[in-house]
Amino acid sequence: GQQLNQSPQSMFIQEGEDVSMNCTSSSIFNTWLWYKQDPGEGPVLLIALYKAGELTSNGRLTAQFGITRKDSFLNISASIPSDVGIYFCAGHPQRGADGLTFGKGTHLIIQP
Amino acid sequence: KAGVTQTPRYLIKTRGQQVTLSCSPISGHRSVSWYQQTPGQGLQFLFEYFSETQRNKGNFPGRFSGRQFSNSRSEMNVSTLELGDSALYLCASSFLAGGSTDTQYFGPGTRLTVL
């Protein structure tokens, strides 16, 4: 099936730093979604992107839907301790209708 | 508006048993999708139901099944449990059917442990 390559796998940063993570695919996606998951909980939607080139912000978070429709990035500015968690990219591939395809996640760890 | 709810939150079963998990979608949402999350495989799509009909199915054995009721609530069933079925099972709801541009909202999950 479809696969999303998400990087980096983990990040160790200082509080206040900016964070950047991205997802790439070998095939075209119709939507890109970014979720955050805390331990023992389900993923919580952060940002949804529906059009190629779309740039959307949600507070300190900014995400973009790549022009080629094969990639997306998520930026977090001025990180704070509650940003700790696992961030997943997900999307609906253009071909096939088998649910959301997820990346493997980026584990964000913030050192005070 | 209440979010997606899943019951039970935790479950311990032994090999060979069967289990039923329940999901109530956000009010007004008609699509329910199920995912399995494990450390090794990540989040994998199980199946999707829309208006009581299974629309899509992921690459899982027939031991995994589901259904959706007229009020959009959904259940998934796993028969003849194996150790490898231990996972967090997540339910997600959306207004439209999957494969569209609609957004899926997840519940907190059911943690299944098979001994």
Side-chain angles (χ1 to χ4, degrees), chain B residues 47-66:
Chain B
F47 31 65
E48 183 211 358
Y49 285 86
F50 183 80
S51 293
E52 301 178 65
T53 301
Q54 185 181 92
R55 290 192 73 251
N56 299 302
K57 192 176 194 306
N59 190 24
F60 279 82
R63 299 185 298 106
F64 292 82
S65 63

mmCIF file of all heavy atoms in Angstrom, chain B residues 47-66:
data_model
loop_
_atom_site.group_PDB
_atom_site.id
_atom_site.type_symbol
_atom_site.label_atom_id
_atom_site.label_comp_id
_atom_site.label_asym_id
_atom_site.label_seq_id
_atom_site.Cartn_x
_atom_site.Cartn_y
_atom_site.Cartn_z
ATOM 1 N N PHE B 47 -10.730 -0.870 8.560
ATOM 2 C CA PHE B 47 -11.897 -0.775 7.682
ATOM 3 C C PHE B 47 -12.666 0.499 7.975
ATOM 4 O O PHE B 47 -12.442 1.161 8.985
ATOM 5 C CB PHE B 47 -12.832 -1.984 7.766
ATOM 6 C CG PHE B 47 -12.891 -2.670 9.108
ATOM 7 C CD1 PHE B 47 -13.393 -2.019 10.224
ATOM 8 C CD2 PHE B 47 -12.449 -3.974 9.247
ATOM 9 C CE1 PHE B 47 -13.443 -2.645 11.450
ATOM 10 C CE2 PHE B 47 -12.502 -4.618 10.472
ATOM 11 C CZ PHE B 47 -12.996 -3.962 11.572
ATOM 12 N N GLU B 48 -13.578 0.802 7.050
ATOM 13 C CA GLU B 48 -14.402 1.986 7.168
ATOM 14 C C GLU B 48 -15.851 1.620 6.901
ATOM 15 O O GLU B 48 -16.156 0.829 6.001
ATOM 16 C CB GLU B 48 -13.977 3.069 6.173
ATOM 17 C CG GLU B 48 -14.791 4.348 6.322
ATOM 18 C CD GLU B 48 -14.975 5.095 5.020
ATOM 19 O OE1 GLU B 48 -14.444 4.659 3.981
ATOM 20 O OE2 GLU B 48 -15.667 6.127 5.051
ATOM 21 N N TYR B 49 -16.743 2.206 7.699
ATOM 22 C CA TYR B 49 -18.168 2.023 7.508
ATOM 23 C C TYR B 49 -18.825 3.378 7.269
ATOM 24 O O TYR B 49 -18.464 4.381 7.892
ATOM 25 C CB TYR B 49 -18.799 1.350 8.730
ATOM 26 C CG TYR B 49 -18.469 -0.113 8.796
ATOM 27 C CD1 TYR B 49 -17.299 -0.551 9.391
ATOM 28 C CD2 TYR B 49 -19.312 -1.060 8.224
ATOM 29 C CE1 TYR B 49 -16.974 -1.885 9.428
ATOM 30 C CE2 TYR B 49 -18.999 -2.407 8.253
ATOM 31 C CZ TYR B 49 -17.822 -2.813 8.856
ATOM 32 O OH TYR B 49 -17.499 -4.140 8.870
ATOM 33 N N PHE B 50 -19.756 3.371 6.363
ATOM 34 C CA PHE B 50 -20.522 4.578 6.045
ATOM 35 C C PHE B 50 -21.951 4.151 5.788
ATOM 36 O O PHE B 50 -22.197 3.270 4.954
ATOM 37 C CB PHE B 50 -19.942 5.286 4.823
ATOM 38 C CG PHE B 50 -20.644 6.569 4.478
ATOM 39 C CD1 PHE B 50 -20.365 7.734 5.174
ATOM 40 C CD2 PHE B 50 -21.577 6.611 3.444
ATOM 41 C CE1 PHE B 50 -21.010 8.917 4.856
ATOM 42 C CE2 PHE B 50 -22.218 7.798 3.129
ATOM 43 C CZ PHE B 50 -21.933 8.946 3.829
ATOM 44 N N SER B 51 -22.880 4.756 6.503
ATOM 45 C CA SER B 51 -24.292 4.401 6.371
ATOM 46 C C SER B 51 -24.497 2.896 6.441
ATOM 47 O O SER B 51 -25.154 2.299 5.576
ATOM 48 C CB SER B 51 -24.859 4.951 5.052
ATOM 49 O OG SER B 51 -24.882 6.356 5.075
ATOM 50 N N GLU B 52 -23.906 2.287 7.447
ATOM 51 C CA GLU B 52 -24.084 0.865 7.783
ATOM 52 C C GLU B 52 -23.442 -0.090 6.779
ATOM 53 O O GLU B 52 -23.650 -1.307 6.878
ATOM 54 C CB GLU B 52 -25.582 0.523 7.935
ATOM 55 C CG GLU B 52 -26.275 1.346 9.009
ATOM 56 C CD GLU B 52 -27.763 1.043 9.110
ATOM 57 O OE1 GLU B 52 -28.102 -0.100 9.485
ATOM 58 O OE2 GLU B 52 -28.580 1.942 8.795
ATOM 59 N N THR B 53 -22.681 0.428 5.839
ATOM 60 C CA THR B 53 -22.054 -0.416 4.824
ATOM 61 C C THR B 53 -20.539 -0.298 4.909
ATOM 62 O O THR B 53 -20.009 0.802 5.049
ATOM 63 C CB THR B 53 -22.518 0.002 3.414
ATOM 64 O OG1 THR B 53 -23.936 -0.105 3.343
ATOM 65 C CG2 THR B 53 -21.888 -0.890 2.350
ATOM 66 N N GLN B 54 -19.858 -1.431 4.804
ATOM 67 C CA GLN B 54 -18.400 -1.366 4.780
ATOM 68 C C GLN B 54 -17.963 -0.869 3.418
ATOM 69 O O GLN B 54 -18.270 -1.495 2.392
ATOM 70 C CB GLN B 54 -17.793 -2.755 5.055
ATOM 71 C CG GLN B 54 -16.272 -2.712 5.168
ATOM 72 C CD GLN B 54 -15.663 -4.092 5.412
ATOM 73 O OE1 GLN B 54 -15.289 -4.795 4.482
ATOM 74 N NE2 GLN B 54 -15.564 -4.462 6.668
ATOM 75 N N ARG B 55 -17.214 0.225 3.403
ATOM 76 C CA ARG B 55 -16.790 0.813 2.138
ATOM 77 C C ARG B 55 -15.380 0.390 1.746
ATOM 78 O O ARG B 55 -15.086 0.186 0.579
ATOM 79 C CB ARG B 55 -16.845 2.334 2.213
ATOM 80 C CG ARG B 55 -18.228 2.909 2.278
ATOM 81 C CD ARG B 55 -18.193 4.400 2.058
ATOM 82 N NE ARG B 55 -17.929 4.757 0.683
ATOM 83 C CZ ARG B 55 -16.791 5.302 0.264
ATOM 84 N NH1 ARG B 55 -15.803 5.510 1.093
ATOM 85 N NH2 ARG B 55 -16.636 5.630 -1.007
ATOM 86 N N ASN B 56 -14.521 0.320 2.720
ATOM 87 C CA ASN B 56 -13.126 -0.012 2.439
ATOM 88 C C ASN B 56 -12.610 -0.948 3.513
ATOM 89 O O ASN B 56 -13.084 -0.945 4.645
ATOM 90 C CB ASN B 56 -12.262 1.258 2.443
ATOM 91 C CG ASN B 56 -12.706 2.239 1.401
ATOM 92 O OD1 ASN B 56 -12.737 1.929 0.224
ATOM 93 N ND2 ASN B 56 -13.068 3.431 1.832
ATOM 94 N N LYS B 57 -11.605 -1.717 3.128
ATOM 95 C CA LYS B 57 -11.009 -2.650 4.080
ATOM 96 C C LYS B 57 -9.511 -2.647 3.877
ATOM 97 O O LYS B 57 -9.031 -2.671 2.740
ATOM 98 C CB LYS B 57 -11.574 -4.054 3.863
ATOM 99 C CG LYS B 57 -11.245 -5.048 4.961
ATOM 100 C CD LYS B 57 -11.933 -6.385 4.689
ATOM 101 C CE LYS B 57 -11.914 -7.303 5.895
ATOM 102 N NZ LYS B 57 -10.575 -7.534 6.458
ATOM 103 N N GLY B 58 -8.785 -2.627 4.972
ATOM 104 C CA GLY B 58 -7.336 -2.702 4.896
ATOM 105 C C GLY B 58 -6.881 -4.141 4.794
ATOM 106 O O GLY B 58 -7.674 -5.069 4.652
ATOM 107 N N ASN B 59 -5.574 -4.318 4.877
ATOM 108 C CA ASN B 59 -4.978 -5.635 4.676
ATOM 109 C C ASN B 59 -4.865 -6.399 6.000
ATOM 110 O O ASN B 59 -3.768 -6.604 6.516
ATOM 111 C CB ASN B 59 -3.595 -5.466 4.033
ATOM 112 C CG ASN B 59 -3.016 -6.780 3.584
ATOM 113 O OD1 ASN B 59 -3.765 -7.733 3.337
ATOM 114 N ND2 ASN B 59 -1.711 -6.838 3.496
ATOM 115 N N PHE B 60 -5.988 -6.810 6.531
ATOM 116 C CA PHE B 60 -6.037 -7.572 7.770
ATOM 117 C C PHE B 60 -6.810 -8.860 7.529
ATOM 118 O O PHE B 60 -7.678 -8.919 6.661
ATOM 119 C CB PHE B 60 -6.717 -6.750 8.878
ATOM 120 C CG PHE B 60 -5.813 -5.752 9.533
ATOM 121 C CD1 PHE B 60 -5.579 -4.515 8.949
ATOM 122 C CD2 PHE B 60 -5.183 -6.048 10.729
ATOM 123 C CE1 PHE B 60 -4.731 -3.596 9.539
ATOM 124 C CE2 PHE B 60 -4.334 -5.139 11.332
ATOM 125 C CZ PHE B 60 -4.105 -3.916 10.741
ATOM 126 N N PRO B 61 -6.498 -9.911 8.321
ATOM 127 C CA PRO B 61 -7.203 -11.188 8.123
ATOM 128 C C PRO B 61 -8.682 -11.087 8.471
ATOM 129 O O PRO B 61 -9.121 -10.148 9.126
ATOM 130 C CB PRO B 61 -6.471 -12.140 9.078
ATOM 131 C CG PRO B 61 -5.789 -11.270 10.066
ATOM 132 C CD PRO B 61 -5.457 -9.998 9.370
ATOM 133 N N GLY B 62 -9.415 -12.118 8.037
ATOM 134 C CA GLY B 62 -10.861 -12.132 8.241
ATOM 135 C C GLY B 62 -11.288 -12.210 9.698
ATOM 136 O O GLY B 62 -12.468 -12.026 9.999
ATOM 137 N N ARG B 63 -10.316 -12.477 10.598
ATOM 138 C CA ARG B 63 -10.658 -12.496 12.027
ATOM 139 C C ARG B 63 -11.106 -11.107 12.513
ATOM 140 O O ARG B 63 -11.739 -10.984 13.544
ATOM 141 C CB ARG B 63 -9.439 -12.917 12.850
ATOM 142 C CG ARG B 63 -8.902 -14.295 12.549
ATOM 143 C CD ARG B 63 -7.774 -14.679 13.490
ATOM 144 N NE ARG B 63 -6.603 -13.804 13.385
ATOM 145 C CZ ARG B 63 -6.267 -12.894 14.286
ATOM 146 N NH1 ARG B 63 -7.023 -12.704 15.364
ATOM 147 N NH2 ARG B 63 -5.180 -12.156 14.123
ATOM 148 N N PHE B 64 -10.734 -10.101 11.763
ATOM 149 C CA PHE B 64 -11.120 -8.729 12.085
ATOM 150 C C PHE B 64 -12.379 -8.377 11.297
ATOM 151 O O PHE B 64 -12.385 -8.455 10.063
ATOM 152 C CB PHE B 64 -9.995 -7.753 11.724
ATOM 153 C CG PHE B 64 -8.772 -7.897 12.577
ATOM 154 C CD1 PHE B 64 -7.830 -8.875 12.301
ATOM 155 C CD2 PHE B 64 -8.552 -7.047 13.658
ATOM 156 C CE1 PHE B 64 -6.700 -9.022 13.093
ATOM 157 C CE2 PHE B 64 -7.423 -7.180 14.446
ATOM 158 C CZ PHE B 64 -6.499 -8.165 14.173
ATOM 159 N N SER B 65 -13.412 -8.016 11.993
ATOM 160 C CA SER B 65 -14.658 -7.658 11.325
ATOM 161 C C SER B 65 -15.301 -6.495 12.052
ATOM 162 O O SER B 65 -14.894 -6.122 13.159
ATOM 163 C CB SER B 65 -15.614 -8.851 11.287
ATOM 164 O OG SER B 65 -15.964 -9.228 12.614
ATOM 165 N N GLY B 66 -16.292 -5.922 11.424
ATOM 166 C CA GLY B 66 -16.966 -4.800 12.056
ATOM 167 C C GLY B 66 -18.380 -4.672 11.553
ATOM 168 O O GLY B 66 -18.833 -5.424 10.679
#
